[in-house]
């Protein structure tokens, strides 16, 4: 665009000079030719400007559309209600609510990017399964290294289809906002054999102290010695109440120089979540409205599909559900040291059986 404009200016200058020299022999015809060239170049500039404007407008409209529809281009709820497995018929338990939680490796305000690039990776991924019929809750903890099908987008938001990669990248392949959340929701649903993910909550590293403070600090039994060198109080077997000085490390730290170090982090997260749920139930019973207000105060570090009305119904459901350390499920599979990142391959048959146990009833 700039080069074309510079060309036009140069031609305009030539034309002016030609006009001042109109008395010289043989210049009259050249002036007409230069005038035609100028008009032609100006037309090219106008066409290019209009064309670029239309192109930019179309890109903007396409991105705005994708912010609404990304992750919904595939019907995640199709074909899951009635299934046949090992010759038996099963029906989906419609009194189940699923909530996806993800913690991403970024700090500061969580907001959408103008282009589909630069979003953080999901480090912690889990699905809370609240079963109203049987009054129980199960948490499915999914390793970020799980190899599965993930949808990709170009920088301008064009859908490039799916390919096998780490589950944690599903959030990264988006805009850092709704598209990233929906993309992760779709990837998790597909990994869980098409089970619908009803709601999602995504937070980042800046939210950790707020989440911990929401229940007045969480008391855990430390499951390993991953942090013992830097935090002597966090040795295996110790009972510690986490606060602002150590909760971030407890939930996030792993030794990147050690293969499969994410396993130790998942163990610590399990101990934290198990303790947190019990304390959260009590807080909700004591101050349901105030807890919502405190959640709203941290909305800069939180992205969620849950409305206040949904929050109230989920809180009441949570109060009635049983949850213990054994309610925390980690899919079976094989850990592999990859060329760039660790990789986890789910035992699909074992996962299918667990999904039937959690979500279905035999007809």
């Amino acid at each position: 665009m700039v080069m074309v404009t510079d060309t036009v200016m140069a031609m305009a200058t030539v034309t002016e000079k030609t006009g001042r020299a109109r008395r010289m022999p043989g210049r009259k015809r050249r002036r007409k030719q230069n005038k035609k060239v100028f008009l032609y170049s100006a037309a090219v500039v106008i066409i290019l400007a209009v064309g670029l404007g239309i192109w930019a407008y179309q890109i903007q409209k396409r991105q705005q559309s994708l912010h609404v529809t990304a992750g919904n281009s595939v019907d995640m709820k199709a074909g899951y209600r009635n299934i046949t497995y090992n010759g038996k018929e099963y029906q989906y338990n419609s009194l189940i609510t699923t909530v996806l939680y993800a913690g991403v490796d970024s700090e500061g305000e969580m907001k959408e990017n103008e282009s589909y690039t630069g979003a953080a990776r999901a480090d912690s991924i889990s699905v809370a399964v609240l079963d109203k019929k049987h009054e129980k809750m199960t948490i499915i903890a999914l390793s970020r290294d799980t190899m599965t099908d993930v949808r990709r987008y170009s920088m301008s938001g064009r859908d490039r289809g799916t390919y096998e990669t780490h589950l944690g990248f599903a959030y990264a392949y988006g805009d850092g906002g709704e598209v990233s959340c929906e993309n992760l929701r779709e990837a998790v649903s597909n990994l869980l054999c098409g089970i619908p993910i009803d709601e999602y909550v995504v937070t980042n590293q800046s939210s950790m102290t707020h989440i911990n403070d929401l229940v007045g600090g969480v008391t855990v039994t430390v499951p390993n010695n991953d942090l013992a060198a830097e935090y002597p109080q966090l040795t295996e077997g110790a009972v510690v109440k986490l606060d602002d000085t150590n909760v971030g490390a407890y939930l996030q730290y792993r030794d990147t120089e050690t293969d499969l170090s994410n396993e130790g982090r998942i163990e610590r997260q399990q101990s934290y979540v198990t303790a947190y749920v019990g304390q959260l139930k009590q807080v909700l019973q004591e101050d349901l409205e105030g807890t919502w207000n405190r959640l709203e105060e941290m909305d800069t570090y939180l992205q969620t599909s849950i409305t206040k009305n949904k929050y109230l119904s989920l809180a009441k459901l949570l109060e009635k559900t049983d949850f213990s350390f054994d309610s925390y499920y980690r899919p079976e599979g094989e850990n592999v040291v990859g060329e760039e990142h660790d990789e986890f391959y789910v035992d699909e048959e074992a996962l299918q059986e667990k999904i039937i146990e959690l979500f279905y009833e035999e007809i």
Side-chain angles (χ1 to χ4, degrees):
M1 183 77 173
V2 175
M3 293 178 63
V4 174
T5 306
D6 289 344
T7 301
V8 173
M9 294 299 295
M11 290 181 175
T13 303
V14 170
T15 304
E16 290 176 2
K17 291 180 179 179
T18 304
R20 286 194 299 268
R22 60 184 178 276
R23 295 179 182 177
M24 296 181 64
R27 290 298 180 98
K28 186 175 183 180
R29 185 176 179 180
R30 282 190 188 138
R31 184 177 66 182
K32 291 181 179 180
Q33 289 176 337
N34 286 333
K35 184 176 181 180
K36 290 179 180 179
V37 171
F38 173 81
L39 292 174
Y40 172 76
S41 300
V44 170
V45 173
I46 293 171
I47 292 171
L48 283 174
V50 173
L52 287 172
I54 294 173
W55 175 79
Y57 175 78
Q58 290 174 338
I59 289 293
Q60 182 183 19
K61 293 296 289 183
R62 187 185 306 138
Q63 281 197 317
Q64 290 174 347
S65 174
L66 283 167
H67 275 279
V68 176
T69 63
N72 294 322
S73 57
V74 176
D75 184 1
M76 296 186 294
K77 295 188 177 182
Y80 74 91
R81 293 192 177 278
N82 294 281
I83 64 172
T84 301
Y85 184 72
N86 287 343
K88 297 180 179 180
E89 299 290 329
Y90 295 90
Q91 186 175 46
Y92 185 77
N93 177 3
S94 59
L95 294 179
I96 281 179
T97 300
T98 53
V99 180
L100 167 66
Y101 170 77
V104 301
D105 59 353
S106 69
E107 295 182 344
E109 183 179 358
M110 299 181 72
K111 57 184 179 180
E112 297 177 356
N113 300 317
E114 293 183 359
S115 62
Y116 286 44
T117 182
R121 182 180 177 182
D123 271 344
S124 175
I125 306 167
S126 59
V127 178
V129 182
L130 292 100
D131 185 344
K132 184 177 181 179
K133 184 174 184 178
H134 299 99
E135 295 187 341
K136 66 177 183 178
M137 181 173 77
T138 304
I139 290 182
I140 304 174
L142 301 171
S143 170
R144 69 169 196 169
D145 297 324
T146 302
M147 301 302 290
T148 189
D149 288 338
V150 172
R151 190 171 300 280
R152 291 185 301 172
Y153 295 96
S154 68
M155 289 181 64
S156 61
R158 183 168 59 87
D159 189 340
R160 289 183 169 178
T162 62
Y163 81 116
E164 187 181 50
T165 187
H166 298 75
L167 178 62
F169 282 128
Y171 186 88
Y173 296 148
D175 64 346
E178 184 180 357
V179 175
S180 288
C181 295
E182 293 291 351
N183 204 32
L184 181 59
R185 171 151 65 173
E186 178 190 31
V188 169
S189 175
N190 289 339
L191 176 63
L192 299 181
C193 306
I195 294 298
I197 305 299
D198 299 308
E199 308 292 344
Y200 65 79
V201 178
V202 178
T203 64
N204 68 0
Q205 295 171 14
S206 296
S207 72
M208 292 180 185
T209 55
H210 297 277
I211 292 172
N212 195 58
D213 291 342
L214 189 67
V215 296
V218 177
T219 300
V220 299
T221 300
V222 182
N224 54 51
N225 285 316
D226 289 355
L227 300 171
E230 187 171 352
Y231 298 88
Q233 74 275 26
L234 298 178
T235 57
E236 183 175 353
V239 178
V240 180
K241 185 175 183 178
L242 300 174
D243 56 29
D244 291 358
T245 66
N246 54 21
V247 66
Y250 192 85
L251 293 175
Q252 180 191 2
Y253 173 81
R254 72 182 183 92
D255 185 355
T256 56
E257 300 299 320
T258 302
D259 294 334
L260 309 179
S261 59
N262 191 48
E263 292 299 297
R265 177 166 60 182
I266 292 178
E267 287 180 346
R268 297 196 307 275
Q269 291 171 350
Q270 179 176 2
S271 68
Y272 184 87
V273 171
T274 303
Y276 192 92
V277 171
Q279 293 182 215
L280 179 60
K281 283 185 178 184
Q282 183 157 357
V283 169
L284 291 173
Q285 289 173 353
E286 295 172 353
D287 191 4
L288 185 62
E289 190 74 23
T291 303
W292 170 262
N293 293 336
R294 289 194 295 276
L295 284 170
E296 284 192 317
E297 291 173 2
M298 57 174 286
D299 63 355
T300 301
Y301 318 117
L302 182 149
Q303 297 169 335
T304 183
S305 62
I306 299 175
T307 62
K308 185 174 183 179
N309 286 339
K310 189 65 178 180
Y311 156 79
L312 294 172
S313 65
L314 286 173
K316 293 176 182 177
L317 177 57
L318 180 63
E319 290 179 14
K320 299 177 181 179
T321 58
D322 290 328
F323 182 79
S324 65
F325 187 85
D326 295 331
S327 303
Y328 198 93
Y329 169 70
R330 295 173 59 187
E332 301 172 34
E334 180 183 8
N335 279 300
V336 176
V337 178
E339 292 184 5
E340 296 185 10
H341 304 285
D342 295 335
E343 300 173 357
F344 178 73
Y345 293 88
V346 170
D347 182 329
E348 294 183 2
E349 185 175 351
L351 179 60
Q352 176 71 77
E353 291 177 355
K354 190 65 177 182
I355 287 173
I356 290 175
E357 175 191 330
L358 292 176
F359 295 95
Y360 289 88
E361 297 177 327
E362 188 175 349
I363 301 175

